[in-house]
Amino acid sequence: MSKIFCIANQKGGVGKTTTTVNLAAGLAKIGQRVLMVDLDPQGNATMGSGVDKRTLSLSVYDVLLESASVREAAVLSEKCGYHVLGANRDLAGAEVELVEVERREKRLKQALAEVDADFDFVLIDCPPSLSMLTLNGLCSAHGVIVPMQCEYFALEGLTDLVNTIKQVHANLNKDLQIIGLLRVMYDPRITLQQQVSDQLKAHFADKVFDTVIPRNVRLAEAPSYGLPGVVFDPSARGSQAFLAFASEMVQRIQRM
Ligand code: ADP
Ligand code: MG
């Protein structure tokens, strides 16, 4: 049975995609069978996994509209060691096309049920909004991983996300929980970041992952090579942190 996680935060540029592809690659490196689902029409997680979004014949769009199955539409990224259900601009139209259909927020969940035995982990990279696409992700998932920068406004944005997760939990998906907050792009030399990090721990306790992802230029360079940092330069500090995070996730799901 696969464990399904959304990587979500309604802010853009907070490290969702970086977290998704590096966690996927890290889990693959320790022998887990992983499917990465790109739910962002920008297709960054697709490109960052070595899959060209411009030449995809089938994508998550076809899966949401039930014109393809996950097995048909997912491709193996050989370099990265995990499967990719990719996205491109087509997906931007899905929002509108889904308005008319029944059980529109459960489309992804139903599609993933068919590959339940094929993967240990399904990681869903969400767009920076609380849209129908994100709702499909949240309805499919057992848990949410929230990457966040330790900055002043980070906590404010968290309230909206936590409320949305509570509503989805109450009305649509009883399995859903926040697995944890992941501190990313962390620079311990910045006092404010230390302070926000301490506040997070005081407030959310063991919902804050032990692993901290440092700001590391190799992680930012990797996407231009179509690779997660963990594959591009496994010895980089940021990559090592994501490998540690993959192990932490494996331990966490044993307790779920
Ligand atoms: P999101 O998916 O939330 O929009 P991204 O993962 O695309 O965010 O990250 C935003 C930018 O920050 C990208 O340019 C990415 O390469 C960079 N970045 C993400 N994490 C790190 C990190 N730990 N160190 C340095 N740069 C990072
Ligand atoms: Mg992104």
Side-chain angles (χ1 to χ4, degrees), residues 68-125:
S69 67
V70 175
R71 263 195 208 108
E72 286 164 339
V75 293
L76 173 65
S77 168
E78 283 181 28
K79 282 188 230 156
C80 300
Y82 56 85
H83 281 78
V84 175
L85 178 54
N88 54 30
R89 293 288 300 275
D90 292 348
L91 188 57
E95 191 87 31
V96 178
E97 290 169 66
L98 284 173
V99 167
E100 296 288 306
V101 307
E102 281 173 46
R103 18 161 220 97
R104 58 187 177 209
E105 69 285 343
K106 299 260 169 96
R107 289 285 176 110
L108 183 62
K109 181 188 172 78
Q110 278 161 359
L112 289 174
E114 288 175 31
V115 291
D116 191 43
D118 299 4
F119 300 102
D120 301 305
F121 282 88
V122 177
L123 303 179
I124 304 172
D125 187 29

Side-chain angles (χ1 to χ4, degrees), residues 17 21-22 36 38 43-52 77 80 82 84 222-229 231:
T17 298
V21 299
N22 280 285
M36 193 287 292
D38 191 351
N44 292 344
T46 303
M47 297 296 277
S49 301
V51 175
D52 192 341
S77 168
C80 300
Y82 56 85
V84 175
S224 60
Y225 297 86
L227 294 171
V231 178

Side-chain angles (χ1 to χ4, degrees), residues 55 61 104 133 197 211-212 216 228 232:
T55 58
Y61 169 82
R104 58 187 177 209
L133 293 171
S197 173
T211 310
V212 177
N216 177 233
F232 174 61

Side-chain angles (χ1 to χ4, degrees), residues 163-174 176:
N163 286 336
T164 302
I165 291 168
K166 277 187 188 155
Q167 278 180 24
V168 173
H169 177 267
N171 300 309
L172 294 165
N173 177 6
K174 282 197 299 299
L176 190 68

Side-chain angles (χ1 to χ4, degrees), residues 14-216:
V14 292
K16 290 181 292 295
T17 298
T18 305
T19 299
T20 308
V21 299
N22 280 285
L23 178 58
L27 288 167
K29 275 202 184 212
I30 54 177
Q32 302 292 313
R33 299 167 304 160
V34 182
L35 171 66
M36 193 287 292
V37 179
D38 191 351
L39 265 191
D40 189 336
Q42 292 183 74
N44 292 344
T46 303
M47 297 296 277
S49 301
V51 175
D52 192 341
K53 65 181 178 184
R54 294 159 298 196
T55 58
L56 277 181
S57 51
L58 292 169
S59 70
V60 69
Y61 169 82
D62 300 282
V63 170
L64 289 172
L65 292 178
E66 297 184 340
S67 55
S69 67
V70 175
R71 263 195 208 108
E72 286 164 339
V75 293
L76 173 65
S77 168
E78 283 181 28
K79 282 188 230 156
C80 300
Y82 56 85
H83 281 78
V84 175
L85 178 54
N88 54 30
R89 293 288 300 275
D90 292 348
L91 188 57
E95 191 87 31
V96 178
E97 290 169 66
L98 284 173
V99 167
E100 296 288 306
V101 307
E102 281 173 46
R103 18 161 220 97
R104 58 187 177 209
E105 69 285 343
K106 299 260 169 96
R107 289 285 176 110
L108 183 62
K109 181 188 172 78
Q110 278 161 359
L112 289 174
E114 288 175 31
V115 291
D116 191 43
D118 299 4
F119 300 102
D120 301 305
F121 282 88
V122 177
L123 303 179
I124 304 172
D125 187 29
C126 289
S129 62
L130 300 172
S131 61
M132 182 54 63
L133 293 171
T134 300
L135 198 56
N136 260 276
L138 294 175
C139 283
S140 312
H142 300 106
V144 186
I145 296 168
V146 184
M148 53 187 304
Q149 286 171 263
C150 292
E151 285 172 353
Y152 184 67
F153 289 115
L155 291 167
E156 207 169 274
L158 210 53
T159 317
D160 294 337
L161 181 62
V162 169
N163 286 336
T164 302
I165 291 168
K166 277 187 188 155
Q167 278 180 24
V168 173
H169 177 267
N171 300 309
L172 294 165
N173 177 6
K174 282 197 299 299
D175 292 339
L176 190 68
Q177 52 172 306
I178 292 189
I179 303 301
L181 308 176
L182 178 66
R183 292 162 287 172
V184 299
M185 299 190 226
Y186 189 71
D187 185 343
R189 292 167 304 182
I190 301 175
T191 314
L192 176 65
Q193 295 209 1
Q194 270 179 33
Q195 287 169 348
V196 174
S197 173
D198 291 344
Q199 277 177 12
L200 278 181
K201 278 193 285 190
H203 215 88
F204 293 96
D206 61 354
K207 290 281 183 198
V208 182
F209 288 111
D210 295 334
T211 310
V212 177
I213 311 297
R215 185 172 282 283
N216 177 233

